[in-house]
Amino acid sequence: SLAKKIKEEKMSNLVEEYFEAHSSSKVLTSDRTLQKLRKRRLNQETLHDLLKKAPLAYAAEIKELNQQHESMFSKWLLQLHLGFNIVLYGLGSKRDLLEKFRTSLLQDSVHLVVNGYFPSITVRSILNSITEEVLDHTGTFRSPLDQLEFITKRFKEDSSLELYVIIHNLDSQMLRGERSQQILAQLSSLPSVYLIASIDHINAPLMWDQAKLSLYNWLWYETTTFSPYVEETSYENSLLVQQSGSLALSSLTHVLRSLTPNARGIFRLLAQYQLEKKDNPSYPGLSFQDFYQQCREAFLVNSDLTLRAQLTEFRDHKLIRTKRGADGVEYLLIPVDVSTLTDFLENEDEDV
Amino acid sequence: LGVNVTDHDLTFRSLSDLLQNNITPYIALLEAKDCPGIKNLMQKLMAQLMNCSIDADSLEDEDYVQVSQSRIRCSMSSLIKWYKSGTQKTDSETPSQKRTSSTYWQPPPVVVIFKDMESFTTKVLQDFIVISSQHIHELPLVLIFGIATSPMIIHRLLPHSVSSLLCIELFQSLSCKEHLSTVIDKLLLSDQFPFKLGEKVLQVLINLFLYHDFSVQNFIKGFQLCILEHFFSQPLSVLCCQLVDLKKRINSLSHDQCENIRRLPSFRRYVEKQESGKQIALLTTDNFLKEETERLLEDLHVYHYNYVSVLRCLHVFTSSLPKYPLGKQIRDLHCACLENQVWETEEYESSLQLARMLNKSDLVTMLQQCVEILLSSSGKEFDKTVEKLKEFLTQFQNLEAEAFQERDGSISSQKELQKKTDLYHLQKTLLELKESRRSKKLTKFEMLRFEVVDYIDCLVRNYLVPADHRTLHEILYFNTATVLRGHLNAAPRTALHTALNNPHWYLKNQVLKCDGGSISNKAPDICIVYKLHLECGRLINLVDWLEAFATVVMAAEAPDADTASSDQVDDIIHARFIRAVSELELLGFIKPSKQKTDHVARLTWGGC
């Protein structure tokens, strides 16, 4: 009972720690930011190149693991045919494994591969590819439900139709919604549709309730591969990868090049003001009245109306954002991060 | 209906079939997911009703076309029009149809079944009820709601004005546990099927049922998986068949399969017990082995027949005992018997003791039940047992007369007791009575009772030997519970946890081995990053994280020659860090945070 007591104590400690950590909104971390790091941010391409250079650790062991999983292939096929669907979980990308399953066993049969990690995939596109490619039906449907009904009917009528569906990352952003899961579940419950899917997110099982689980009829297989998620994370916008920054800068300069000198001056003024206030985290932006005053003083505008027109143009190009403060005053902000703005101003200075 | 939503489909389908055959051809089954709005609901309803009646009436094709055309415009009025024409049609049709419809000359009701009341939007439901209640005189509607929780939900979902339009009558379905009991009774405890479940597997399935989902369908799915797994992995499962086919199959065994038999652990135990001459014959001659196997398998089948009937007898006894030491249901008893030698357990001991105190009428009824069970069982060995039990019964009947006398005797002694009201005497007589009772020989009834209980006990000992102790049980019993649990009730989180904390578990490399808590600096990147992230609070600074990671990785690579320029190494480390972090993001451990620049928020707590 002593061990039990210790365990209980540990548990209660854990619980208390949890609430302690979550009670205050203050978090103790250092204030250093990546900006201050002397190195430049990497972009997607250089990252890819660098990673190619880095050798994959424990390649031999990983290969052995994969071979273990591959020995299950024929069993999977049998189980798929008996009405179960297979779901793979575990650390590491399961893409290559599924790909291998496809090439080694499904070469001769009709199969559909769905890349769930692809950011613009939708259930509708999955259903479309079934109706168009597999069933040779060229027609549109009012709703996915109708489409599903059509598919169900066709599959029930024609027992010779068989379809293997492989879904990489069933739990990805686009497919995790309730509706899409419902439709996929119904699809997978058809006896001649065999589904094999992989999940990665730790909370993936949360998206299925009893009814869906029974439709899916899962058989779980643990396939820990330890292989890196190359394809999957290439769409994941990481904080560390420089992405939107370069794009925003070039678009910024391009748009501003096409403007009148006065308009450019207006934007400069706003940018400078924002840079001065960059250390103040609660800076709401420049209020319209103040801005108008400053622009007048710099002889950039002569009336309220012209400034408003100019700002509207900026807003259309998504160069500025207006926010209404607590006191009802309109505040103007440039929704670009500080470094890009600094770069922009430096470029401008060079040009002039 | 219960919370086991997965089983409801079957119930509803048989209900609608039943209604269709007996009462009315007009039945519609509605599901919440098809009806997000009142329009969809009406469309669905119309389509189903019209198709239903076509199925039932089997009309000509042109009518079908008409109907499918009219599906486009679906409103209550068109439904009523159709219904009227439909009823008129059935009224004025051929005589044969007339006969069927004349049995209920008033028009048949239209039944609408709502499968899952809880998931319907209240608005749709209310609207539908109000609309249909307005047309009730033209269109006799009967609504059936499938409620997974309690009837309270009707009043919560529907306001008073709507629920007052309904005339509610509640029906209750069987609880899922009772379903499970029947399934187990018919499926596992029957002698029809040669395939059996081992104790651990059964325990896993029952636990899944009782602690997770209450779904009989999932139980059956698990059972299917067991069958599949058994016949897939066990090479000797070909012999898992009816006795009739057994001989043929055994004769067709190849030499390798004979070797497989020899390799079975239970068979080895059996061989070790034989004398040496037979041992050699068993291990070398295939034909002798085949004969022996056939005999053993027949024994196993016979054992199972006997097992089941004795188990039922024992259940009759234990299920009536107070507090149910051996469990209330027969499945509990079955598990207990499979798990161990049941007579060695404490529970069995206590239940025997309780059984020795049973009164006579109970005992008699129980014995009668046992006799019935044994008579109905197909095993032939019970003739003797039955006779013995019948003998017991007759003895009991004979006892009755004596029992009366005895009772008289005891009454007289009590009368004596009442006479002497003196306290001192009372005490004395009480003591005397006690003493006499202690010293007195047991009454005939009590002796008989002991005899019966002992007999039952010995029955149990003879027939309820756990299957594991029988020779060749591997052929009929499936007992790999871990496989089953892994496939049915997986824990992806735990798998991730071990993979991240303990990469050694998967990657069998000596370098990775280290004691718990710490992690070797040679582990895969993602494991190091994960470990470092565990040390942080709710928010993580990316810069610090990167630096910590770089330190760890540099320490690991320092022994290697530092040929590459430090700058390039730095870049590579940076890239590896980025990859690991984005992998953690994909796995759902962290998410980018807007609270502070270049910070990420942790989404998990504690060890995992």
Side-chain angles (χ1 to χ4, degrees), chain A residues 90-151:
Chain A
L91 182 67
S93 165
K94 289 157 281 283
R95 197 172 164 280
D96 296 339
L97 191 72
L98 281 180
E99 204 51 22
K100 191 144 190 190
F101 175 70
R102 187 180 73 84
T103 46
S104 60
L105 285 178
L106 302 185
Q107 213 43 268
D108 303 328
S109 35
V110 187
H111 57 266
L112 176 74
V113 179
V114 179
N115 293 325
Y117 51 80
F118 194 63
S120 59
I121 190 118
T122 56
V123 185
R124 179 159 273 225
S125 61
I126 299 174
L127 290 180
N128 276 342
S129 53
I130 293 178
T131 47
E132 280 163 23
E133 321 256 319
V134 181
L135 299 180
D136 281 328
H137 175 87
T138 51
T140 50
F141 297 90
R142 266 175 302 162
S143 73
L145 280 175
D146 285 346
Q147 201 163 2
L148 187 72
E149 210 169 295
F150 172 78
I151 293 171

